[in-house]
Amino acid sequence: MTVAVDYKKTPDLPHQFLTQQNGLLAIKLLCRITRALQKHRGASVACLDGDIKFAPKVLGLQGEIGKYLQVLEQFNRRNAGLLPVNIVEMVFGEWATIVDGWQKDEVVQNYEFHCHLIEVVRKLQRTVINEYLMTPLSDKESAFRQEFEASLVALTNTIETIAKLRGLATHIAEVETRHNDLYMRMVFLLKMVVQETSGLYHLLQDLEGVSSRLSGLNHLALQQTKTQTLVALIQSDIVDSDTVTASPDAIFEQATAIIDIYWKILDQSIALTEDCIYQSFTDG
C-alpha cells in the first residue's frame, strides 16, 4: 500500500530534499506534456487545413499525452499536496474537450483551446517552482536556485512564443490568406519573438551560476541568427509579399529546429539544478 506524503508538513532536511526531487520530477513531466501539446496544436491545425499527412501524428500525440496524464494523475495521488488538485483536474478536462471535438472545430478555436491548456500546464510548473523549489538546502544554493527559476520561466516563455508563431505562420502559408484574426496574431508574435529571444540571450549570459555550466549556451548566438532568419522569411514571404509565397514546410522545419535547441537547454538547466540539490544535501 502506498502512503501519500503531505510535503507541506515535513520540515526536516531529508523530507525537504525528497520534496525538491519530486518537484523536479513534476517539472520534467509537465515540460513533456507542454512539448507534446505544442506539437499536437500544430499537427491538428495542419489537419484542419486539409493536410492529411499529419493525421497519424495527431493520433500518436494523443496517445503520448494520454500516457503522460495517467502518470501525472498517479504522481499527484502518491504525493498528496504537491500539485493543486483543481488545476490538475482542469488539465484533464480541457484535454478531453480538445480530443473529443478538435475535428469539428474551426482553426482559431482549436488554436485557442490548445493555447489555454498549455498556459494551465505552465501555471502548474510555476506553482511547483515557487512552493517547492525556491527554498534552498544551503545558503550557497540560493543564488543558483533563483537563476534556475529565471531561466526556466524565460525559456518556456520563448519556446511557447516561437511554437505559436510556428503554428500560425504554417497555417497562413498553407491556406494562403492574410485576411483573418490569426494573421494579426502572427504579426504580433513576430515582434514578440524578436524581443523575447534577445532578452533570453542577455538573461542567460548574465546568470553566472547557470551560464557557466550550460553547454547548450554555446548555441545561443546561433539561435538568435536562426530566429532572425525565420522572422525574415515570414516577413518577406507572408507579410510584405503581394501574395503569400512562403513554404509551410520550410517555416515548420526552421521553427522546430530552433524550438528543439531551446528544449535541450531547458533540459540541461533542470539536470544542473538536480545536481545542485544533491550537492547541497550532502554538503549540508
Side-chain angles (χ1 to χ4, degrees):
M1 177 179 179
T2 301
V3 179
V5 178
D6 188 345
Y7 286 99
K8 296 179 180 179
K9 298 180 180 179
T10 53
D12 58 288
L13 190 61
H15 278 299
Q16 188 177 342
F17 169 80
L18 291 173
T19 299
Q20 294 184 350
Q21 286 296 311
N22 278 307
L24 282 177
L25 181 59
I27 288 175
K28 291 178 186 178
L29 178 58
L30 292 169
C31 283
R32 291 278 183 175
I33 294 171
T34 300
R35 193 172 186 175
L37 285 172
Q38 289 171 340
K39 292 180 179 179
H40 188 272
R41 176 176 57 196
S44 59
V45 165
C47 282
L48 292 174
D49 285 336
D51 195 341
I52 60 173
K53 72 173 181 286
F54 280 94
K57 184 71 171 176
V58 170
L59 291 177
L61 286 165
Q62 288 177 0
E64 179 181 335
I65 294 167
K67 290 177 182 178
Y68 286 148
L69 292 181
Q70 288 177 353
V71 174
L72 182 65
E73 182 180 33
Q74 289 292 323
F75 174 86
N76 211 37
R77 186 177 301 165
R78 296 186 180 193
N79 298 281
L82 189 64
L83 299 173
V85 174
N86 62 320
I87 302 180
V88 173
E89 290 177 348
M90 187 183 302
V91 170
F92 277 85
E94 293 196 10
W95 173 242
T97 298
I98 289 174
V99 172
D100 290 343
W102 74 270
Q103 290 174 302
K104 299 185 288 287
D105 289 338
E106 298 291 334
V107 169
V108 64
Q109 292 175 316
N110 182 63
Y111 173 83
E112 288 178 343
F113 286 153
H114 279 86
C115 289
H116 188 268
L117 176 53
I118 290 169
E119 184 53 39
V120 173
V121 175
R122 293 181 64 221
K123 182 178 180 180
L124 279 175
Q125 291 176 337
R126 294 191 293 270
T127 298
V128 173
I129 293 172
N130 293 332
E131 294 193 13
Y132 300 100
L133 293 179
M134 290 311 294
T135 302
L137 297 173
S138 67
D139 292 339
K140 68 179 182 180
E141 186 193 357
S142 179
F144 184 88
R145 193 65 60 80
Q146 292 173 357
E147 292 188 358
F148 167 69
E149 180 190 25
S151 63
L152 180 67
V153 172
L155 278 164
T156 54
N157 285 345
T158 302
I159 290 169
E160 174 62 357
T161 300
I162 298 173
K164 286 180 178 178
L165 177 63
R166 174 181 62 185
L168 293 185
T170 301
H171 161 70
I172 292 167
E174 185 71 43
V175 300
E176 298 182 358
T177 181
R178 292 175 291 193
H179 304 292
N180 55 41
D181 176 58
L182 293 180
Y183 171 75
M184 298 306 299
R185 298 189 196 190
M186 185 205 71
V187 172
F188 173 76
L189 287 171
L190 278 176
K191 299 176 182 178
M192 290 295 297
V193 163
V194 173
Q195 294 174 5
E196 289 187 6
T197 53
S198 176
L200 178 64
Y201 176 82
H202 293 296
L203 171 68
L204 293 181
Q205 290 292 347
D206 290 341
L207 298 182
E208 296 179 359
V210 174
S211 63
S212 62
R213 299 170 63 187
L214 281 176
S215 61
L217 290 180
N218 296 329
H219 298 286
L220 277 183
L222 181 59
Q223 282 287 90
Q224 278 198 301
T225 301
K226 288 182 177 180
T227 303
Q228 291 167 357
T229 301
L230 174 65
V231 169
L233 169 65
I234 297 171
Q235 186 72 38
S236 64
D237 291 0
I238 294 181
V239 179
D240 295 336
S241 178
D242 292 335
T243 58
V244 177
T245 60
S247 163
D249 290 338
I251 292 173
F252 182 85
E253 290 170 5
Q254 288 188 34
T256 299
I258 295 168
I259 291 168
D260 287 347
I261 293 295
Y262 279 131
W263 276 117
K264 289 181 181 178
I265 296 174
L266 181 56
D267 289 342
Q268 288 182 10
S269 179
I270 294 173
L272 286 175
T273 302
E274 185 172 24
D275 290 344
C276 184
I277 291 174
Y278 269 103
Q279 190 65 47
S280 296
F281 176 68
T282 56
D283 291 346

